[in-house]
Amino acid sequence: MKILLLEDEYSLRISIEEFLEDLGYEVDGFMDGLEAYDAIYDKSYDLLLLDVNVPTLTGFELLKRLRLDDITIPAIFLTSMTDVNDLKEGYKRGCCDYMRKPFDLMELELRIDQALASYLNNDSNVIDLGDSLTYDLKRSQLLLKEKEIVLRKTEKDMLEVLIKNKNAIVSTEMFQDEVWGDYVEPATIRVQLNNLKKKLPIGTIQNRRGLGYIIER
């Protein structure tokens, strides 16, 4: 699983990165809010760990923008703020948890486990794709009018990347990183996408010429 970490205190960021990588997570660390925001649209993440007071774009504003774009990646705020109004603000922006600094890394592990478990068990993981089409992220099951559409593994992986980035454009490079993990010919990606599109109602996956592909809902 991939985690984005936004933390402008260098030593803390490195400590968290190393701890999470030892647990088997892939971690991308940032100190600048705008850089982190851009990265979320370039890659697919399973969890966001966000400091609040960071350069360029605060953690609060970053998450607000994501939620307005219907990006529902679970987020935990990491902050030294102690005022209850700040706590309310964090939840208002759409976080699922809030950790006050300083904190124990073992506690962070528990909070991450809880956030991911809650997200995967939430009914919101049955994604409505329109035209009586739904996808259950937990069961990896695609249904059209309650009848299952069987997907090959690559097709399923590509659909999940599109769903995770719903309402955002997914480039061929993102498919390459998320599905294959190594270089693959763009023609191969196009062929697999066309195979997937044939199994879905017309217009479910839209092409943005020169940019990539998108599911808009």
Side-chain angles (χ1 to χ4, degrees), residues 66-82:
L66 295 178
R67 297 304 188 240
L68 287 174
D69 286 343
D70 290 329
I71 294 176
T72 60
I73 307 168
I76 298 174
F77 280 122
L78 312 176
T79 179
S80 56
M81 293 179 173
T82 58

Side-chain angles (χ1 to χ4, degrees), residues 6-9 12 16 50-54 77-82 98-103:
L6 174 60
E7 171 58 62
D8 66 342
E9 184 182 333
L12 178 59
I16 294 174
L50 305 174
D51 189 6
V52 176
N53 291 322
V54 292
F77 280 122
L78 312 176
T79 179
S80 56
M81 293 179 173
T82 58
Y98 199 109
M99 292 190 67
R100 291 187 176 93
K101 302 176 185 177
F103 52 79

Side-chain angles (χ1 to χ4, degrees), residues 60-109:
F60 283 161
E61 185 60 29
L62 184 155
L63 191 59
K64 177 184 177 182
R65 292 188 185 185
L66 295 178
R67 297 304 188 240
L68 287 174
D69 286 343
D70 290 329
I71 294 176
T72 60
I73 307 168
I76 298 174
F77 280 122
L78 312 176
T79 179
S80 56
M81 293 179 173
T82 58
D83 191 286
V84 68
N85 290 322
D86 294 320
L87 180 64
K88 289 180 180 179
E89 183 70 13
Y91 285 109
K92 178 181 176 181
R93 298 301 187 191
C95 75
C96 63
D97 207 344
Y98 199 109
M99 292 190 67
R100 291 187 176 93
K101 302 176 185 177
F103 52 79
D104 189 285
L105 290 176
M106 295 296 290
E107 181 184 356
L108 177 61
E109 178 185 1

